[in-house]
Amino acid sequence: MTVLTLGVDLAAADERTAVALVEWADGRATLRELALGVTDERIAADIGRVGKAGIDCPLGWPAAFVSFVADHQTGRVTAPVPPRRDLAYRVTDQLLRDRPGPNPLSVSADLIAHVAFRCAGLLARLGPVDRTGDGVIVEVYPAAALHRWGLPHSGYKKAGQGSLLDHLVAAAPWLDLGDFEPLCRRSHDAFDAVVAALAARAAALGRTLAPDEPQRAAARTEGWIAVPTCDLDELS
């Protein structure tokens, strides 16, 4: 049976946005499409083609931050204000920050908020979206996925990802990049889109860190990062 997953490395501008379409069949994964400079229209159309789409971007803001800003707007903030940790980080972010591995950025206090603004518009275009990841769309974090799979996960965006791609190909001999391999070596946006598609596969298999019931309540509005719980070779 053939299954398609999509990876979206979302950026604030089209020029830095990449999508990767991976086909899974007969124990192999084949990169069928890889594109840079992608519009919201293209992303929405591609999501409609796949069983699971992993978007590398927060799908929401911390509930405490949303309430705090709304209260501040109307002059209803009272002291003491919520802890900065709760204002800056979602439940899913705090969970990962308390575990070994890369730390997610704050969607309310870092530049990634600009990407999240775009993502909110994309989600609106797609209609009601289950931000817990139970639907077609799931939030992914490529650095956390690479860490779980025992691959280098820090510094490659500055140093270049050619050697990291060598590690990935060696660890996943069933992954066929085809004619897109040079682009994966040249662009970390393209590389991240491929990793996002692999993380989406883990989510489709039910092999990602799932929220418990209290966490799920928060994830419905804040989003939830689907970190793989399986080894890389289990994806095929």
Side-chain angles (χ1 to χ4, degrees), residues 23-212:
E23 178 183 273
W24 303 83
D26 301 322
R28 294 193 61 79
T30 304
L31 183 58
R32 293 300 184 192
E33 297 179 17
L34 183 63
L36 292 172
V38 182
T39 64
D40 287 356
E41 290 81 4
R42 165 71 184 271
I43 297 171
D46 283 348
I47 289 175
R49 303 166 56 194
V50 304
K52 204 74 173 179
I55 300 180
D56 178 15
C57 179
L59 300 186
W61 279 263
F65 171 75
V66 174
S67 297
F68 177 75
V69 170
D71 288 345
H72 179 68
Q73 184 75 8
T74 57
R76 291 186 290 113
V77 172
T78 58
V81 300
R84 291 186 184 180
R85 176 180 168 95
D86 293 340
L87 294 175
Y89 300 108
R90 303 170 297 163
V91 169
T92 187
D93 299 328
Q94 294 188 32
L95 178 66
L96 293 190
R97 293 181 74 86
D98 289 339
R99 296 161 60 99
N103 290 328
L105 297 175
S106 167
V107 67
S108 56
D110 283 313
L111 290 176
I112 197 173
H114 289 274
V115 188
F117 295 153
R118 180 183 181 185
C119 188
L122 177 62
L123 298 185
R125 177 189 295 271
L126 295 169
V129 170
D130 186 340
R131 300 183 203 175
T132 68
D134 286 345
V136 173
I137 294 174
V138 64
E139 181 181 337
V140 297
Y141 183 18
L146 292 171
H147 175 264
R148 173 59 184 82
W149 294 328
L151 297 172
H153 61 275
S154 63
Y156 66 92
K157 292 190 178 184
K158 293 182 179 179
Q161 68 286 345
S163 61
L164 179 54
L165 185 64
D166 291 335
H167 285 286
L168 177 61
V169 171
W174 39 263
L175 175 61
D176 181 6
L177 300 176
D179 294 337
F180 299 112
E181 182 172 337
L183 181 55
C184 289
R185 292 187 180 278
R186 186 171 69 250
S187 166
H188 64 72
D189 300 315
F191 177 84
D192 276 354
V194 172
V195 176
L198 300 183
R201 170 66 168 177
L205 295 174
R207 306 297 299 277
T208 56
L209 185 65
D212 59 25

